[in-house]
Amino acid sequence: MKKTRNKLAAAVIGAAFFVLAGCGAGGGEPFRIVSGSENQELEAVLEACERATGVDIEMSYQGSVDIMRILQQGGGEYDGVWPASSLWLTLGDAGHKVKYAESISTTPVVFGIRKSLAQELGFTREDVSLKDILKAIQEGKLSFCMTSATQSNSGASAYIGFIQAFLDKNQAVTREDLEKQELQESLRELLSGVERSSGSSDWLKDMFLEGNYDAMVNYECLIISANRELTAQGKEPLYVVYPYDGLSLADSPLGYIDKGNEAKEEQFLKIKEYLLSEEAQTQIEATGRRIGYSGVSPQNQEVFNPDWGIDTERILSPISMPAADVLMEALNLYQTELRKPSLTVYCLDYSGSMAGEGQEQLEEAARTIFVQEEASRYLLQASEKEIDSAILFGDEINGEYLVDEPTAENLQALYEWICQAQPWGGTDIYRAAIRGLDILSQYDLSQYTPAIILMTDGQSNGWTEFDDFVEAYEEMGMDVPVFSIMFGDAQESQLAELAQYTNGRVFDGTEDLIGAFRSVKGYN
């Protein structure tokens, strides 16, 4: 399989970009599909699709909010759309350009809990409600990792399921429901159990595998994928728990973005017909996805291991999704009031090499995060109790600014302070990152989702070294990811070393610094 990826996509910011051009027709434009990240595991199926149909397929993996915005803007450069859930078609396709949308597979959003802990909590012996999970969190017996409800479908679907469960109703959620204080308090308490956040379901799985966590909320198919890796490494698998009162389903709809091109429409219909064929459906099921709402085909029974708590006889009855305006209100409520507040230290390279175009791009990126009217366009606005600290650095610390009352005015002032600064000096990323740890150590991090976001455009050449950062990190003794944004001539190996050590991630902003900042903020 031939792969190409643009630099922004390689950043793992939810935009990994693949051309599946194995045995396609060659020549001409490929059929471009914007897709959720979970479909990266179906690349072998798509290669087979190319061989069978003669259509070159180009996949661009984006976050759910970005898919929604692409649809709102008419579909951009894409010919097809393949989100994790139909709800993003509902929210995004205001112009009704999407045709022929049909579910390719389904997978429930579940809790995967370390099996020994699930046994200890009694979750392996009987059906589990969300209230049972909340009780375990309140008693300090359980914490979990989850994607952001405003950036990723698995997080959004789980969150809507949480709401439905606490309301104890079968009908779709209404605006009046969201205003109930008892509901909001239950959601806050449940979300206080979130230990690490992510903007991508696929990366959440990878992060979990590299860390030491109790549980994660994710797609059943990605729990299966994680368990395959855990057992191969001789580690304890996760036990799948299906909350009976708030089960959400990802229905993976594939749709055609109609722009009046008959040739593209014909290509789409070939792709869809192949993916719904018995051969392809069996391959898809082998990855841990369901191809029906109950039962599994005999040849794939072993994929759905009952020792992992997977119940193939359970009838998957999805919750009723709210209307689009109610869903948006629910997501905004999550972002601004209910989620565990973030505590973020932005370490921003203001060395001399940033002068000019680099500084202008950084200021525009900062505007996307700190100017709340702009941030709300991407569901990235500040929550009530979050804390934001900015460090401007060269080879020394050039300046610091703290916002611990995140009003729109205070965050606007932070943005203006960044814009007024002047770049100078060399580059010492480790000095800045250590100072970030110093700031974080002043807080009870169990009450926040902490992170250091480090942006640099050059190679660190100061007196401080990686070993100095490791010493400070170990002394601190907390799980804090360093999410790095690579820009200009930044040394990728230095940033990757920080990311690997802290179970963080490197984002590539060399072609789109604004997009990189938006994406990394979605992880926190």
Side-chain angles (χ1 to χ4, degrees), residues 162-438:
F162 298 164
I163 293 174
Q164 193 102 28
F166 287 134
L167 288 172
D168 193 21
K169 63 181 292 188
N170 295 322
Q171 295 79 27
V173 176
T174 65
R175 286 179 178 272
E176 291 72 26
D177 289 330
L178 295 176
E179 294 171 0
K180 295 177 179 178
Q181 293 304 307
E182 184 179 357
L183 168 67
Q184 293 187 16
E185 187 54 38
S186 294
L187 289 167
R188 279 194 194 92
E189 289 192 47
L190 182 73
L191 294 170
S192 73
V194 175
E195 189 171 6
R196 284 284 297 267
S197 182
S198 166
S200 159
S201 304
D202 200 54
W203 187 79
L204 183 75
K205 181 203 75 172
D206 294 340
M207 180 209 72
F208 188 92
L209 291 170
E210 293 295 325
N212 182 27
Y213 307 104
D214 285 345
M216 68 171 160
V217 173
N218 214 327
Y219 302 119
E220 180 189 62
C221 62
L222 291 183
I223 302 291
I224 290 172
S225 176
N227 275 352
R228 285 169 167 167
E229 295 189 47
L230 288 168
T231 53
Q233 297 168 14
K235 296 180 180 178
E236 179 182 24
L238 297 171
Y239 190 88
V240 175
V241 172
Y242 307 84
Y244 64 77
D245 49 358
L247 183 67
S248 298
L249 271 183
D251 60 342
S252 190
L254 176 66
Y256 170 63
I257 302 174
D258 187 7
K259 299 175 186 174
N261 186 323
E262 292 184 5
K264 292 289 186 183
E265 184 172 354
E266 183 180 342
Q267 287 181 327
F268 172 83
L269 292 173
K270 288 181 180 179
I271 293 169
K272 190 180 84 163
E273 182 182 9
Y274 177 82
L275 292 177
L276 291 173
S277 69
E278 183 176 351
E279 177 186 357
Q281 288 283 287
T282 301
Q283 283 184 283
I284 290 170
E285 188 182 51
T287 69
R289 290 160 172 78
R290 311 283 186 108
I291 55 174
Y293 286 92
S294 64
V296 172
S297 60
Q299 60 266 51
N300 285 321
Q301 283 287 345
E302 63 181 22
V303 173
F304 299 83
N305 188 341
D307 289 340
W308 298 341
I310 297 171
D311 185 355
T312 58
E313 299 304 314
R314 179 185 293 267
I315 297 175
L316 301 179
S317 301
I319 60 171
S320 300
M321 281 294 169
D325 60 333
V326 178
L327 180 57
M328 285 304 296
E329 185 167 332
L331 294 176
N332 278 300
L333 184 67
Y334 166 90
Q335 183 67 20
T336 59
E337 297 184 35
L338 302 180
R339 66 186 172 98
K340 195 173 184 178
S342 57
L343 171 50
T344 311
V345 180
Y346 295 86
C347 298
L348 306 177
D349 187 342
Y350 255 63
S351 58
S353 58
M354 282 292 292
E357 184 180 355
Q359 183 180 6
E360 292 172 4
Q361 290 188 47
L362 177 57
E363 290 173 3
E364 186 59 34
R367 173 181 170 81
T368 304
I369 302 299
F370 298 123
V371 177
Q372 293 304 283
E373 183 178 358
E374 186 72 11
S376 65
R377 294 176 56 205
Y378 305 98
L379 294 174
L380 291 174
Q381 58 267 52
S383 66
E384 288 184 332
K385 297 181 180 180
E386 81 170 44
I387 296 173
D388 293 287
S389 178
I391 297 171
L392 304 185
F393 70 93
D395 45 14
E396 298 180 359
I397 303 301
N398 297 349
E400 297 182 17
Y401 198 108
L402 177 70
V403 175
D404 54 11
E405 294 183 10
T407 63
E409 294 77 13
N410 288 345
L411 289 166
Q412 174 78 27
L414 169 56
Y415 164 67
E416 293 173 356
W417 174 78
I418 291 172
C419 293
Q420 292 166 4
Q422 294 301 314
W424 66 276
T427 304
D428 191 336
I429 64 173
Y430 304 116
R431 181 186 294 271
I434 291 170
R435 176 57 189 149
L437 294 177
D438 290 340

Side-chain angles (χ1 to χ4, degrees), residues 115-128 239-241 309:
K115 188 170 183 179
S116 60
L117 178 58
Q119 291 170 333
E120 180 184 326
L121 295 171
F123 291 172
T124 61
R125 296 189 295 273
E126 55 191 29
D127 285 346
V128 179
Y239 190 88
V240 175
V241 172

Side-chain angles (χ1 to χ4, degrees), residues 97-111:
K97 285 187 171 292
V98 178
K99 293 173 59 177
Y100 308 123
E102 192 166 349
S103 173
I104 300 300
S105 64
T106 60
T107 188
V109 179
V110 299
F111 279 80

Side-chain angles (χ1 to χ4, degrees), residues 57-104:
I57 301 172
E58 184 176 281
M59 299 288 286
S60 177
Y61 298 109
Q62 303 270 0
S64 295
V65 170
D66 283 330
I67 291 175
M68 176 187 76
R69 288 180 57 78
I70 287 167
L71 290 177
Q72 288 172 342
Q73 295 163 7
E77 64 182 350
Y78 299 104
D79 308 305
V81 59
W82 196 358
S85 170
S86 294
L87 71 89
W88 302 104
L89 299 183
T90 301
L91 290 175
D93 188 28
H96 304 291
K97 285 187 171 292
V98 178
K99 293 173 59 177
Y100 308 123
E102 192 166 349
S103 173
I104 300 300

